[in-house]
Amino acid sequence: MVVDESDERAVQAAVAAETRLLDPGVRASPELVSALLDPDFTEIGASGRRWDATSILTVTSAGSVLPESPVEVSELAAAVLAPGIVHLTYLADNGGRCVRRSSLWRLTVTGWRLYFHQGTPTS
């Protein structure tokens, strides 16, 4: 399989943005999270709850993210689905709570923004 240089840059940018969102310091800051979420963002959380950008920012504003709670990532895979659209999947371990995660990132005029995210608990 031949990987286009622009596809490689897109994957690198999406992975970097996802990594920022997983950083407890970023997750605890509504301003930093907001800069990474698409205005049309939706999430189906590991709990089954549906979230949008406003509800996620409300939670992060409430101080629910502990800075000492890092997320360990493994099994990271990435695919460019179309120009400006990257799909990431990975296993996230947050203190023994393992969740399979899937993220769709899209390139906007302001940079890469998270458009859709889903988490599914796993053992």
Side-chain angles (χ1 to χ4, degrees):
M1 179 173 144
V2 177
V3 177
D4 182 288
E5 186 177 319
S6 65
D7 285 356
E8 183 62 31
R9 284 194 308 269
V11 165
Q12 290 173 355
V15 169
E18 185 83 29
T19 301
R20 281 194 306 277
L21 270 178
L22 293 172
D23 180 286
V26 172
R27 288 195 334 253
S29 167
E31 294 81 20
L32 295 176
V33 171
S34 181
L36 292 166
L37 296 182
D38 192 274
D40 296 326
F41 169 79
T42 58
E43 175 177 343
I44 300 170
S47 65
R49 180 176 173 182
R50 183 178 172 95
W51 301 84
D52 60 15
T54 301
S55 58
I56 288 291
L57 293 172
T58 299
V59 169
T60 58
S61 296
S64 66
V65 177
L66 301 174
E68 63 278 0
S69 180
V71 177
E72 294 180 33
V73 172
S74 60
E75 301 178 31
L76 178 66
V80 175
L81 302 180
I85 304 288
V86 175
H87 181 220
L88 301 178
T89 59
Y90 58 95
L91 181 65
D93 182 340
N94 189 348
R97 181 172 180 256
C98 294
V99 178
R100 291 225 174 261
R101 302 227 173 244
S102 175
S103 296
L104 286 176
W105 288 86
R106 72 176 173 179
L107 183 58
T108 70
V109 294
T110 58
W112 286 92
R113 306 297 275 295
L114 183 58
Y115 177 74
F116 177 80
H117 185 79
Q118 182 168 359
T120 304
T122 187
S123 53

